[in-house]
Amino acid sequence: MKILVTLKPVPNPDEKVKVREDGKGIVRENIKTVVNPFCEIAVEEGLRIREAHGGEVVVLTVGPRESDQQLRTALAMGADRGILVEAAGDLDSLAVAKVIAKVAAEEKPDLVLNGKQAVDDDNNQVGQILAALLSWPQATFVSKLEPDMGCRKAKATREVDGGLETIEVPLPAVITADLRLNEPRYASLPGIMKAKKKEVKLVPVASLGVDTKPKVRVLSLTPPRQRSGGRKVADVAELVSLLSNEAKIL
Amino acid sequence: MDFTLPEELLIFRDTLRKFVEKELEPISEQVEEEDHIPDRIVEKMKDLGLFGLAIPSEHGGYGMSVLGQCVAMEELSRTNACFRTRIGTNNGIGSMGIVIAGTEEQKRKYLPRLASGAMTGAFALTEPNAGSDASAIRTTAVRKGDKYILNGTKHFITNGDIAGLSTVMALTDRPKGTKGISAFLVEEGFPGFSVGKIERKMGFRGSHTCELLFDDCEVPAENLLGREGEGFRIAMQVLDKGRLMMGACALGAIERLIELSTTFAKTRVTFGEPIINRQAIQWMLVNMAIDAYAVRNAVYHAAWKLDRGERVTKEAAMVKVLATETACRAADSAVQIHGGMGYMKGMAVERFYRDLRLLRIYEGTSEILRMIVAREMSR
């Protein structure tokens, strides 16, 4: 089974991000870049499927040259080879999905695994758009995946509001990984040493012949409101009165 | 000058940061209580490759640069000190003698097992009456046919109780002083070798320090490391790198103490304000940060020199003194910033305060190291 896993480099979610002065992005300096946690889960799932069924795991990222480190991390976890589509600046979901579709058309994987969304902009779109572009079936928010290569299909359990839904999709398909799909392994030192010898193909985005002009423009970013301190009230009556008159939520 | 760490090191550092935060730190207090690291954690450490950082790749390890080993030890030192001690001997004093002076046969026999963690290594020089003054050791080794017969007692031996292989210093020629010391590779189970008392200590719970007893212990002659009389020279070479690693360990602890203290100072309110707004507290934090910056540069610079193949006896000694004395000051400030809470069991700063005290004593006391620096300066 050939599995294509996509990785999005995101600002480290444990660090405090600041909105740029022009209000159209965040300050990237001194913020570490890490693999989007949901993409890490997708990598792990790809590796587990390969370990059970054989095959190849190819990891793909779209971003600046420095994204090599995120690809190498996935290779150190055990992925077989990497593809880095070099693109400067922020691409919107449609552009990224088009790039992935182009690579998928060339690589012809049985499965494309994405994280369900990236923790930076929480758009939750790439997997869905990609499936549409490829005209492949999709299973999103997957918490359990059972591929059956013989019958060329996969059973996917999806986390939906208030419960679980199990569906079956024919392969090839696009799967997006939810939090509970698995616990990703570490990039171990033996893995890191092996990854040094693995191939990462550099592909300039222009060479793909894909229109990556953004269709979405960020007008402004606003940081969350600063939390103000709590307040003690004397009794329930005062609380109710404050909630209805001041906070206006009752 | 380029201070960028190589990519593979950045990836490994991320792995270790996650491993410490997700797996080690949550059980840090449990380990403190039980004085034991759970086996499943040791297994994970093996999977990560932690036992073979320093051992060359042709012998089953990962042959990391000294700088790389420093980064690894720094990350692992952000939590309970027992964890990095568990892997420390295999990467340092418990294996480096073989790497430096071992025969091909000895290397093939022991290094792959030490690198995988299947076997734990220990280093036995210290005796009840000999530590800093190695020439005062009394353990003897007498050649008898194709064996050496060892007699004596070693103490304060880190990981001694779990070691499958100990590098033991013994006298083969007493009148020659340190030139009469030889090193032997002693496996657990050799006749006449046993583990004695396990010491109760101020800190480093979860890591055991033991007595090793040699009672007509039979060691095959092929387990002599180097030639007769080379033991002390081997030991000194092993210790240079060890001291640098101690600097890295102290650095990791200082960084963690700064984080813990800053977080606490931001949330602890007195007289209506977080104490981080008080200059008295700010200055303690700032001094910790200044010290950490100096220590980091000193550790990394000495590591860089050693990686270039330069002799770093003086630098390693200076780095260990600087880093460990700084760490103890940082721990003192951290406890002070935490106030009464800092004195309570279960608080990480309380544990660091006790654990870090050892760093000024073992692998060369501050006093011995200053002597070494003085000697180097007057050469």
Side-chain angles (χ1 to χ4, degrees):
Chain A
M1 175 161 303
K2 184 168 177 179
I3 305 153
L4 180 67
V5 187
T6 60
L7 297 180
K8 182 175 184 187
V10 295
N12 184 5
D14 297 335
E15 287 178 66
K16 215 172 172 177
V17 295
K18 287 198 187 82
V19 175
R20 258 187 352 228
E21 254 177 43
D22 67 3
K24 301 224 158 97
I26 59 160
V27 179
R28 293 267 178 183
E29 285 79 43
N30 297 323
I31 294 269
K32 216 174 92 174
T33 304
V34 299
V35 178
N36 174 41
F38 291 110
C39 297
E40 238 175 6
I41 295 171
V43 173
E44 175 65 33
E45 196 62 18
L47 297 175
R48 288 185 190 188
I49 295 169
R50 186 195 63 193
E51 280 155 8
H53 303 274
E56 187 187 26
V57 175
V58 182
V59 283
L60 162 70
T61 195
V62 187
R65 178 73 68 97
E66 299 82 63
S67 311
D68 185 69
Q69 192 182 324
Q70 283 76 51
L71 274 182
R72 291 275 169 207
T73 304
L75 295 175
M77 287 168 73
D80 298 287
R81 61 188 168 89
I83 302 169
L84 169 53
V85 176
E86 251 193 289
D90 286 334
L91 268 60
D92 64 9
S93 305
L94 176 62
V96 172
K98 280 184 191 164
V99 170
I100 300 171
K102 190 84 183 183
V103 173
E106 212 165 282
E107 290 283 340
K108 299 187 178 53
D110 302 294
L111 267 181
V112 175
L113 289 172
N114 308 121
K116 69 164 179 178
Q117 67 197 68
V119 297
D120 52 357
D121 51 24
D122 279 333
N123 274 339
N124 179 8
Q125 298 189 99
V126 169
Q128 292 88 328
I129 299 175
L130 175 66
L133 291 174
L134 292 167
S135 296
W136 286 6
Q138 59 176 300
T140 52
F141 315 128
V142 170
S143 60
K144 193 173 173 199
L145 184 62
E146 297 159 276
D148 180 343
M149 259 324 264
C151 305
R152 291 205 55 82
K153 62 184 189 195
K155 205 156 90 179
T157 303
R158 306 180 58 235
E159 303 219 335
V160 292
D161 279 349
L164 300 172
E165 179 190 47
T166 303
I167 61 169
E168 197 175 85
V169 288
L171 299 181
V174 175
I175 307 288
T176 77
D178 211 327
L179 184 67
R180 276 163 285 274
L181 184 56
N182 60 50
E183 176 81 23
R185 70 194 67 187
Y186 296 103
S188 69
L189 188 54
I192 291 168
M193 292 301 171
K194 279 188 207 136
K196 278 165 95 171
K197 295 191 195 92
K198 290 179 183 171
E199 180 206 351
V200 172
K201 194 163 84 179
L202 279 177
V203 181
V205 71
S207 73
L208 291 175
V210 170
D211 173 18
T212 55
K213 262 210 307 292
K215 301 285 186 287
V216 176
R217 201 153 40 90
V218 175
L219 297 179
S220 72
L221 288 178
T222 318
R225 206 148 48 104
Q226 280 254 312
R227 280 175 62 173
S228 49
R231 214 155 111 191
K232 269 191 183 163
V233 292
D235 49 32
V236 174
E238 191 190 343
L239 176 67
V240 172
S241 127
L242 283 172
L243 287 176
S244 51
N245 299 328
E246 202 171 294
K248 298 193 195 307
I249 55 171
L250 286 184
Chain B
M1 254 180 133
D2 187 0
F3 286 92
T4 324
L5 292 178
E7 188 179 71
E8 71 254 28
L9 213 45
L10 293 173
I11 295 174
F12 194 46
R13 189 172 65 177
D14 282 351
T15 292
L16 293 177
R17 181 69 58 103
K18 268 194 242 173
F19 181 62
V20 167
E21 281 173 9
K22 274 168 65 181
E23 321 257 356
L24 303 186
E25 189 58 17
I27 60 158
S28 182
E29 277 312 307
Q30 176 199 331
V31 169
E32 193 73 6
E33 286 296 317
E34 297 172 359
D35 196 20
H36 175 73
I37 303 174
D39 292 346
R40 64 177 178 85
I41 293 293
V42 177
E43 288 309 310
K44 284 188 179 172
M45 290 172 147
K46 290 179 189 172
D47 291 344
L48 286 175
L50 291 176
F51 287 91
L53 306 175
I55 295 173
S57 49
E58 61 266 35
H59 295 294
Y62 304 104
M64 278 189 111
S65 62
V66 176
L67 179 65
Q69 295 172 50
C70 281
V71 169
M73 288 318 249
E74 182 187 333
E75 287 302 322
L76 289 171
S77 300
R78 294 166 55 85
T79 181
N80 196 315
C82 68
F83 296 117
R84 59 115 173 127
T85 309
R86 184 66 184 78
I87 65 143
T89 49
N90 280 39
N91 284 301
I93 54 178
S95 71
M96 283 305 108
I98 306 174
V99 172
I100 293 169
T103 61
E104 259 322 294
E105 177 65 30
Q106 287 167 344
K107 288 179 181 173
R108 265 206 309 276
K109 190 168 177 192
Y110 296 120
L111 290 180
R113 280 187 280 169
L114 289 167
S116 71
M119 180 184 245
T120 299
F123 178 79
L125 168 67
T126 304
E127 296 183 6
N129 291 305
S132 296
D133 178 9
S135 64
I137 64 167
R138 288 183 190 166
T139 298
T140 55
V142 178
R143 177 93 190 221
K144 204 169 146 193
D146 57 357
K147 290 194 175 77
Y148 283 91
I149 308 298
L150 269 61
N151 276 292
T153 301
K154 296 288 176 183
H155 83 165
F156 296 169
I157 307 307
T158 303
N159 290 344
D161 57 334
I162 51 170
L165 186 73
S166 300
T167 304
V168 179
M169 298 293 153
L171 289 168
T172 40
D173 196 349
R174 189 190 296 270
K176 284 193 180 157
T178 54
K179 292 210 168 80
I181 297 175
S182 303
F184 296 91
L185 300 172
V186 180
E187 288 182 36
E188 62 178 340
F190 276 5
F193 171 56
S194 59
V195 175
K197 175 169 79 164
I198 295 177
E199 303 290 346
R200 294 176 63 229
K201 314 181 292 303
M202 181 197 276
F204 273 67
R205 287 181 60 79
S207 166
H208 298 165
T209 296
C210 316
E211 250 179 7
L212 300 183
L213 312 174
F214 303 87
D215 182 11
D216 284 333
C217 169
E218 295 177 13
V219 178
E222 68 258 28
N223 276 32
L224 171 70
L225 187 59
R227 285 196 298 269
E228 273 193 26
E230 286 187 342
F232 185 72
R233 188 181 60 77
I234 295 168
M236 289 307 111
Q237 266 177 286
V238 168
L239 291 175
D240 267 356
K241 196 199 84 181
R243 284 167 189 155
L244 204 45
M245 288 303 136
M246 276 303 120
C249 294
L251 173 60
I254 298 169
E255 296 284 3
R256 186 74 188 127
L257 286 166
I258 294 174
E259 287 170 15
L260 290 167
S261 302
T262 309
T263 308
F264 184 84
K266 279 183 187 166
T267 48
R268 173 67 175 166
V269 173
T270 60
F271 308 104
E273 251 187 284
I275 58 172
I276 198 157
N277 293 349
R278 315 253 171 234
Q279 199 176 49
I281 303 296
Q282 286 169 1
W283 284 30
M284 277 193 261
L285 289 169
V286 168
N287 285 336
M288 288 160 90
I290 293 170
D291 286 348
Y293 185 58
V295 168
R296 174 176 303 281
N297 283 298
V299 170
Y300 282 25
H301 180 257
W304 171 79
K305 273 188 101 164
L306 188 51
D307 277 330
R308 283 161 56 102
E310 292 180 43
R311 186 173 170 274
V312 294
T313 302
K314 180 176 156 194
E315 286 82 355
M318 294 196 297
V319 161
K320 184 177 178 274
V321 172
L322 171 72
T324 61
E325 293 188 353
T326 300
C328 286
R329 270 202 308 278
D332 189 78
S333 298
V335 170
Q336 195 66 23
I337 291 167
H338 281 71
M341 281 310 288
Y343 199 67
M344 294 298 128
K345 286 282 178 201
M347 294 299 284
V349 291
E350 183 271 345
R351 189 188 67 238
F352 273 116
Y353 185 86
R354 284 180 289 111
D355 287 353
L356 287 171
R357 187 61 185 82
L358 178 61
L359 270 64
R360 283 158 54 198
I361 300 168
Y362 77 161
E363 299 219 18
T365 63
S366 286
E367 293 69 32
I368 285 289
L369 296 174
R370 283 189 165 89
M371 264 171 58
I372 290 173
V373 176
R375 204 159 58 213
E376 292 288 319
M377 288 172 77
S378 56
R379 270 158 81 96

